Amino acid sequence: MVTPAIRRQVVGFVQKALQLSERRACRMVGASRASHRYRSCRKEPTALVAKIRELAAERPRFGYRGIYRLLRRRGLHVNHKRVYRLYRLEGLHIRTRRRRRYAASPRMEIIKATRPRQRWSMDFVSDHLISGRRFRILTVLDEFSRRSPGVLADLSIRAPRVTRFLDEIALTSGLPEMIVVDHGPEFISNALDQWASERGVRLHFIRPGKPVDNAYVESFNGRLRDECLNANWFHSLAEAQKLIASWWQDYNEERPHSALGGLTPIEYERAQDRKRTAA
């Protein structure tokens, strides 16, 4: 289907090329003369466009839906279709290459957590400094509220350091009933097994070679890599720790999640606590 704007261009081209009057050119193209003469009186919302560009610069990996949620959170009641139109008009859309995925076998349904601190997920991410030296990041995520109790970045993270880090975040976030992990050497170690036994925490190991069983923390790691690790060059470990901690705080306190009804993880967890208290 040809849009009115394209029809107006075609009429103009036919008029110029064939030396026809407006009436005959419109009749040949099948366009209305009133539509051809129409000129838009709409004024573009320059303030809104500036705000969209500002948010897109702050969060370059956000699509229009993320920008729309941030605008709503900041008190701008604007229609999502208008945000999409302006977002595309400004050329801010993200180009992504999607690879085909094939399911080799039926996937097992994962039972969702129903309350905070019921089940956490834990995994490792790695990256490099400018010097080429590799460092690792231990990520922990609450599967219900999507809040991350903590992230740890260091050159080497062995099993005893994992247990100490879990004790550190337990001081502010408590401990869950279960932690979902893969079969990495730090997670199958005697140190973590003894720590879990002493604190009454169950360790649940996913199926070997099935990261989809730990989908929540894998999604969190993807955002961490896309929005922080891939967006920065790290000159030193201290700089990496600072930038990762800043991103982690923003993720928990400022970043709205569509799965949480547009709330941040902290807001969602507090709302659920209030519901349980009222009940």
Side-chain angles (χ1 to χ4, degrees):
M1 181 179 292
V2 181
T3 64
I6 298 298
R7 284 181 182 273
R8 284 192 285 271
Q9 293 179 14
V10 172
V11 170
F13 174 80
V14 170
Q15 275 188 278
K16 185 176 181 180
L18 303 180
Q19 298 295 315
L20 298 178
S21 66
E22 179 187 273
R23 183 190 300 273
R24 294 190 63 187
C26 286
R27 184 179 302 170
M28 180 179 295
V29 174
S32 166
R33 291 177 65 195
S35 176
H36 175 65
R37 293 180 177 182
Y38 173 78
R39 296 295 179 267
S40 175
C41 300
R42 179 174 59 191
K43 296 181 180 179
E44 289 297 341
T46 54
L48 178 59
V49 170
K51 195 65 178 177
I52 290 174
R53 294 194 68 88
E54 177 186 342
L55 292 174
E58 290 178 6
R59 301 174 183 272
R61 297 304 300 172
F62 265 35
Y64 85 93
R65 291 184 181 88
I67 300 295
Y68 165 72
R69 287 194 291 270
L70 288 175
L71 289 171
R72 298 280 292 187
R73 287 179 61 81
R74 300 188 182 187
L76 295 175
H77 297 283
V78 58
N79 187 281
H80 68 93
K81 290 180 284 188
R82 191 182 198 191
V83 174
Y84 174 75
R85 181 179 64 83
L86 296 174
Y87 184 84
R88 296 281 297 191
L89 198 62
E90 294 296 312
L92 301 174
H93 55 283
I94 303 172
R95 294 173 181 249
T96 57
R97 294 182 62 186
R98 299 183 182 273
R99 65 187 182 95
R100 294 182 179 180
R101 297 178 181 271
Y102 299 95
S105 60
R107 295 179 177 177
M108 297 177 60
E109 182 178 357
I110 300 176
I111 301 175
K112 293 184 178 180
T114 58
R115 60 186 181 279
R117 292 172 293 278
Q118 180 182 2
R119 187 166 64 232
W120 287 0
S121 298
M122 190 161 59
D123 198 10
F124 279 100
V125 184
S126 63
D127 205 347
H128 294 81
L129 304 176
I130 286 183
S131 63
R133 188 164 187 183
R134 179 172 173 265
F135 68 93
R136 306 184 76 196
I137 308 162
L138 174 64
T139 57
V140 186
L141 186 76
D142 188 305
E143 292 189 3
F144 176 76
S145 65
R146 309 297 201 277
R147 183 177 73 88
S148 172
V151 292
L152 172 66
D154 210 336
L155 296 176
S156 176
I157 305 176
R158 299 184 181 276
R161 184 67 184 97
V162 172
T163 60
R164 291 200 304 273
F165 178 65
L166 290 172
D167 283 333
E168 291 169 8
I169 63 179
L171 298 176
T172 56
S173 301
L175 287 174
E177 300 172 13
M178 177 191 295
I179 300 179
V180 182
V181 293
D182 59 21
H183 293 263
E186 298 83 6
F187 300 146
I188 62 174
S189 66
N190 291 331
L192 185 61
D193 183 68
Q194 181 180 352
W195 175 89
S197 177
E198 291 174 352
R199 287 154 182 77
V201 177
R202 287 183 295 153
L203 296 178
H204 176 76
F205 294 92
I206 65 173
R207 294 173 295 167
K210 299 292 184 180
V212 69
D213 290 352
N214 211 4
Y216 291 100
V217 76
E218 291 289 347
S219 175
F220 175 82
N221 291 346
R223 292 192 178 99
L224 170 62
R225 183 169 297 283
D226 190 37
E227 299 175 7
C228 181
L229 302 183
N230 290 350
N232 295 283
W233 291 94
F234 304 115
H235 293 82
S236 64
L237 177 63
E239 181 184 14
Q241 291 171 334
K242 180 180 179 181
L243 291 173
I244 291 169
S246 176
W247 178 89
W248 170 80
Q249 183 177 4
D250 178 81
Y251 174 91
N252 280 332
E253 300 178 5
E254 300 294 335
R255 192 185 197 280
H257 289 247
S258 57
L260 306 180
L263 299 177
T264 67
I266 290 288
E267 292 172 343
Y268 185 75
E269 193 169 272
R270 288 173 180 170
Q272 296 302 315
D273 289 338
R274 286 195 296 269
K275 284 184 180 179
R276 284 193 299 275
T277 303

